[in-house]
Amino acid sequence: MRVDKYLWCIRYFKTRSIATKACKDGKVKVNGDSIKPSRDVYPNDKITVRKNQITYELQVLDTPKSRLGAKLVDMYRKDITPAETLQKMDLLKYTKDYYRKKGSGRPTKKDRRDIDDWFDEPDKDIDANKEEE
């Protein structure tokens, strides 16, 4: 089975064309080699997928006949992604929540107070040091 079709079947990509584009861009590797979307995958191949700033590692257990339901995906692949990588994903999620999106309008009162407090704090430390001298 083609690697782009395999990644689509096991639901790593929403469409097959997105999976094909990822292969062409070099974000998918099989056994450490950059590949074309038409490369076949076989059981025991190791696939590395770079998606959303995270590098996922998979081991092919078997090739499905067609796209699968989410509950059946684990029969055809084994996720061997290191735990540290998954922890980085959680940290990325928290950092994205903190920042305001561009074009989301003026800051709210709370945002303004937070900004003012952030700018006022270093000045207080400098003023305290001058008074001690």
Side-chain angles (χ1 to χ4, degrees), residues 8-59:
W8 170 73
C9 284
I10 63 167
R11 297 181 171 270
Y12 261 80
F13 291 101
K14 189 172 183 177
T15 64
R16 189 166 164 194
S17 61
I18 295 172
T20 302
K21 186 175 183 326
C23 292
K24 288 180 181 176
D25 292 344
K27 296 179 181 178
V28 178
K29 296 182 179 191
V30 175
N31 298 328
D33 298 328
S34 292
I35 51 142
K36 293 181 178 180
S38 61
R39 163 102 162 39
D40 286 337
V41 290
Y42 302 101
N44 296 323
D45 279 349
K46 183 180 172 188
I47 300 176
T48 306
V49 180
R50 178 90 174 146
K51 182 179 171 190
N52 297 334
Q53 299 178 350
I54 298 167
T55 304
Y56 297 98
E57 295 180 15
L58 312 168
Q59 184 174 3

Side-chain angles (χ1 to χ4, degrees), residues 89-104:
M89 182 172 61
D90 291 338
L91 290 175
L92 278 172
K93 193 184 306 180
Y94 289 125
T95 58
K96 287 180 182 176
D97 288 343
Y98 177 73
Y99 294 105
R100 292 176 52 89
K101 293 182 180 176
K102 185 175 182 178
S104 62

